[in-house]
Amino acid sequence: MEISELNQLIQLLDNPSDLTKKMEELKSQQIDDESVAGFVVLYDLYKGDVQEIKNQLAISKFQITQPVRINKVHKFAYLKYAAILILLFGTGYSLFLVTNNSNKTELKNQFNEPGLANYMSAKSTTSWEDIMFDYKMKSYNQALKKINSSLINSKFNDTLYYFKAVIYYELKKYNQSSEEFNKVISKSSVFKDKANYYLGKIEYRKGNKKSAVSIFKSLTQSKDLDIKNASSEHVNELKQPILN
């Protein structure tokens, strides 16, 4: 199972130079994952001092919830720090112990786009083989660059828009992903049901359970069996009370 982005950041505390580069990258884009956003704020709060960040992350939830005496100068910083730590502990992470436990906010038995099994014609102006290689290797930024390049000469290629949307989803850039998926839907593409399905997953990840259920219900009669089965399971799962 793929390691979560937060745990990847925690691992990078042992490689400060790479962590600095990663922080610059994250700050240049929209961050939709709250735990990752919390880590970025914590990083700034301690000015990139990895040892101090490690020390602070090692403090127990019990300690940070106890009443403490703080002066006005440090009050705001402390509140930010405490809120971040509560968020991190609240998500169930064992800090510094990278685990492969699945995120409780994830839906079970999701459909995840496997990529195209058969590449397009050799006459195509799109480098599908290269794009799919990068996609399947999870080199998403590389694949995205090639898709954007291909879109210059293939502005109406719904397959390009679909995979562009999927890649944005994998990069957790949900607003951009939604925008691209809606382009696919407006074209009445063969990827329409898959695009709607991903929009349902995005709504769920954003905490909009009611909207997600509505989308999944609309797909329970899809002719795409993968989407139909996954959507039906999600509808049934979301009917159940969420247990901690």
Side-chain angles (χ1 to χ4, degrees):
M1 187 174 291
E2 187 177 356
I3 298 175
S4 73
E5 189 171 6
L6 174 62
N7 275 327
Q8 290 176 22
L9 292 173
I10 292 172
Q11 285 184 315
L12 286 177
L13 287 169
D14 292 324
N15 195 331
S17 59
D18 286 348
L19 179 61
T20 298
K21 293 178 182 177
K22 184 62 177 178
M23 288 298 101
E24 291 174 353
E25 178 185 331
L26 287 172
K27 291 176 186 179
S28 68
Q29 63 192 40
Q30 177 178 331
I31 304 175
D32 295 298
D33 187 318
E34 289 184 351
S35 60
V36 172
F39 186 94
V40 172
V41 175
L42 189 63
Y43 179 88
D44 286 342
L45 184 60
Y46 290 99
K47 299 179 181 179
D49 186 331
V50 294
Q51 189 56 55
E52 185 62 20
I53 294 171
K54 286 182 179 182
N55 292 340
Q56 298 302 335
L57 289 178
I59 296 175
S60 70
K61 181 178 179 180
F62 173 80
Q63 287 175 302
I64 68 171
T65 55
Q66 297 308 298
V68 295
R69 294 180 180 180
I70 51 178
N71 58 45
K72 293 182 179 179
V73 175
H74 297 293
K75 183 177 181 179
F76 181 65
Y78 175 83
L79 290 176
K80 286 201 301 181
Y81 152 66
I84 294 163
L85 275 242
I86 289 171
L87 170 63
L88 295 179
F89 278 108
T91 56
Y93 289 98
S94 297
L95 300 170
F96 304 116
L97 298 175
V98 179
T99 68
N100 287 328
N101 293 333
S102 60
N103 189 333
K104 291 182 180 180
T105 63
E106 288 291 336
L107 293 163
K108 298 177 182 177
N109 302 319
Q110 295 183 46
F111 166 79
N112 293 301
E113 176 55 57
L116 297 175
N118 299 310
Y119 300 119
M120 301 297 183
S121 166
K123 296 180 180 179
S124 172
T125 58
T126 301
S127 303
W128 280 111
E129 186 170 357
D130 289 340
I131 292 172
M132 284 298 103
F133 177 80
D134 286 335
Y135 176 77
K136 292 180 179 182
M137 293 299 293
K138 298 186 178 181
S139 299
Y140 297 127
N141 287 315
Q142 285 295 106
L144 188 59
K145 288 179 182 178
K146 292 172 184 176
I147 287 175
N148 285 332
S149 178
S150 295
L151 279 170
I152 295 174
N153 296 316
S154 304
K155 296 181 180 178
F156 303 103
N157 190 320
D158 58 334
T159 307
L160 286 171
Y161 286 110
Y162 171 72
F163 277 98
K164 184 177 181 179
V166 172
I167 288 171
Y168 274 138
Y169 176 86
E170 296 296 344
L171 292 172
K172 296 182 173 62
K173 296 183 178 180
Y174 300 129
N175 290 337
Q176 295 97 316
S177 181
S178 294
E179 183 178 345
E180 299 301 326
F181 278 129
N182 279 313
K183 289 179 183 177
V184 174
I185 293 169
S186 69
K187 295 175 181 290
S188 297
S189 164
V190 293
F191 296 104
K192 182 177 180 179
D193 283 359
K194 287 184 177 180
N196 265 316
Y197 174 81
Y198 268 98
L199 288 176
K201 292 208 294 183
I202 290 172
E203 287 301 299
Y204 183 73
R205 283 197 167 189
K206 287 184 173 181
N208 303 324
K209 179 180 174 181
K210 185 175 181 180
S211 178
V213 171
S214 177
I215 292 173
F216 292 138
K217 278 185 177 180
S218 73
L219 294 170
T220 55
Q221 301 301 318
S222 174
K223 293 181 180 180
D224 185 321
L225 291 181
D226 289 331
I227 297 301
K228 176 181 179 179
N229 293 337
S231 296
S232 296
E233 288 201 34
H234 299 337
V235 171
N236 290 331
E237 177 186 350
L238 294 176
K239 286 180 180 178
Q240 304 299 319
I242 297 177
L243 301 176
N244 293 324

